[in-house]
Amino acid sequence: MTLVAETRAPDDTSAGFRFAPGVREELPAFRTRCTVVRLASLDNERLGVPRWYTLAEAWTQPGSPEDVLWSRNPVIDVDRDDPPEPVLATGAPVIVLGAGFGTLPWQRAVVDAVRALAARVLVVELGAVVVPGYADIATGGYGRVEGERLLRLLCGVGED
């Protein structure tokens, strides 16, 4: 997959994100309950956990629609010491979150394994460097603004 830049209105929750061809049309399938595979790569020096570790807790207002929707998803944490094939107990869609696919071969191995195991997989690159073929959505960063917009997009909040 090759990411392409799409022009969007400034109020669009996905403004600034890059999407692989056809991803926007597939997003509704990931707005039901899904499994989230969270790849640990960039540690928070103070907490010793990935910076997006708390996901909805860090990126949404408590009780907001995206907080309620996102928090119902089971999360599997995978780091470089785990086998690349996470245990996926259901046939639910899978969202893989990570940063640094370009520099971390173990993350690419996990993405390859998840894509081989699950029928529907959406890979989100939270970092600034995008490796063609690995990211379906590239946010360009993983700060609060990007995180809030990403969760709104993934939950369909604000979509017509």
Side-chain angles (χ1 to χ4, degrees), residues 41-42 99-108 125 129 131:
S41 60
L42 299 174
F101 295 123
T103 58
L104 300 167
W106 71 268
Q107 284 193 346
R108 292 192 301 276
E125 170 63 65
V129 179
V131 174

Side-chain angles (χ1 to χ4, degrees), residues 63-85:
S64 66
E66 56 273 25
D67 177 50
V68 171
L69 291 168
W70 188 258
S71 296
R72 68 186 178 174
N73 295 324
V75 177
I76 300 170
D77 291 308
V78 180
D79 68 26
R80 71 179 130 272
D81 298 325
D82 292 324
E85 301 84 11

Side-chain angles (χ1 to χ4, degrees), residues 26 30 88 90-94 113-122:
E26 293 295 321
F30 295 92
L88 301 174
T90 70
V94 178
V114 170
R115 284 183 171 157
L117 294 169
R120 290 188 179 264
V121 179
L122 181 71

